[in-house]
């Protein structure tokens, strides 16, 4: 009896391992976790709050332009596209030190992230504001759900800075990043 139990256990383990590998096609990539913390890279449409301590005239809300620039009084434009908030803080600090303030203390935070886009077989395709921990399921719900002919197993996502879209499982584990474009295709049957 112990040999039979061991054999069954081995067969079940192999079956589970093999079936686990068949849940997603090879064309579907593992979705990356979007960097929305300290590693987040700024881009057009991001709304920022700049605080220059003791300088209320410089403090305020700013939006990264379509060209990736941040226009700040006194110091002009700063190239914010692709930089983190810490990197932009250092750029602003350096420009303020260059003839404007002796010891500027600068703080920068993202108020709202650039929007995401969803198109294809959803009831309301379009541009929507990004929210924290956004998944494909939440993005589809924001667009009022799937149409009756939507493929609810796979979506295609084009991330900012990439030239091509990739296939991902249309589930709650697939994360969406600010600026992503999600395409929901038609199912075949």
């Amino acid at each position: 009896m112990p040999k039979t139990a061991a054999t069954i256990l081995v067969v079940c383990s192999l079956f589970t391992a093999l079936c686990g590998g068949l849940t997603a096609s090879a064309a579907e990539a593992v979705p990356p976790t979007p960097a929305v913390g300290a590693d987040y890279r700024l881009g057009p449409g991001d709304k920022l709050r700049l605080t220059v301590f003791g300088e209320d005239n410089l403090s305020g809300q700013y939006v990264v332009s379509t060209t990736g620039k941040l226009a700040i009084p006194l110091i002009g434009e700063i190239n914010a596209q692709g930089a983190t908030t810490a990197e932009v803080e250092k750029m602003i600090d350096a420009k303020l030190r260059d003839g404007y303030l002796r010891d500027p203390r600068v703080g920068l935070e993202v108020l709202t992230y650039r929007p995401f886009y969803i198109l294809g077989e959803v009831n309301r395709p379009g541009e929507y504001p990004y929210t924290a921990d956004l998944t494909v399921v939440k993005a589809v719900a924001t667009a009022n759900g799937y149409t009756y002919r939507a493929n609810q197993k796979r979506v295609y996502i084009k991330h900012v800075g990439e030239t091509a879209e990739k296939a991902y499982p249309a589930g709650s584990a697939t994360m969406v990043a600010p600026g992503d474009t999600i395409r929901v295709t038609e199912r075949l049957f």
Side-chain angles (χ1 to χ4, degrees):
M1 195 71 127
K3 272 187 166 180
T4 306
T7 304
I8 291 173
L9 183 62
V10 169
V11 170
C12 287
S13 296
L14 285 173
F15 181 74
T16 303
L18 289 174
C19 287
L22 298 176
T23 57
S25 73
E28 292 177 342
V30 175
T33 302
V36 185
D39 294 337
Y40 177 69
R41 299 286 172 180
L42 298 171
D46 286 331
K47 187 174 184 180
L48 309 171
R49 178 184 297 142
L50 172 65
T51 305
V52 181
F53 297 102
E55 298 294 330
D56 293 336
N57 293 340
L58 295 175
S59 298
Q61 296 180 5
Y62 299 91
V63 177
V64 179
S65 71
T66 55
T67 59
K69 307 270 187 213
L70 201 57
I72 300 171
L74 293 180
I75 60 175
E77 291 186 337
I78 291 182
N79 189 13
Q81 185 161 343
T84 65
T85 55
E87 292 168 344
V88 174
E89 277 179 13
K90 288 178 184 175
M91 287 186 250
I92 294 170
D93 183 90
K95 287 205 171 206
L96 287 173
R97 282 180 191 279
D98 189 24
Y100 296 106
L101 300 173
R102 277 187 235 167
D103 187 26
R105 290 178 293 156
V106 177
L108 189 68
E109 65 179 314
V110 179
L111 292 177
T112 56
Y113 296 95
R114 57 187 169 267
F116 73 94
Y117 307 89
I118 187 164
L119 53 101
E121 296 300 321
V122 290
N123 288 313
R124 291 189 57 214
E127 173 185 306
Y128 293 96
Y130 178 82
T131 57
D133 299 322
L134 185 66
T135 64
V136 167
V137 171
K138 291 178 186 176
V140 169
T142 302
N144 281 359
Y146 292 110
T147 64
Y148 70 93
R149 60 181 173 246
N151 178 351
Q152 297 182 26
K153 295 184 190 236
R154 180 181 310 133
V155 295
Y156 294 87
I157 300 176
K158 182 182 172 292
H159 300 291
V160 172
E162 293 182 359
T163 56
E165 58 185 17
K166 294 179 187 169
Y168 294 98
S172 59
T174 303
M175 301 301 292
V176 177
D180 280 357
T181 301
I182 306 163
R183 185 170 59 90
V184 179
T185 60
E186 264 185 80
R187 62 180 157 75
L188 296 175
F189 296 102

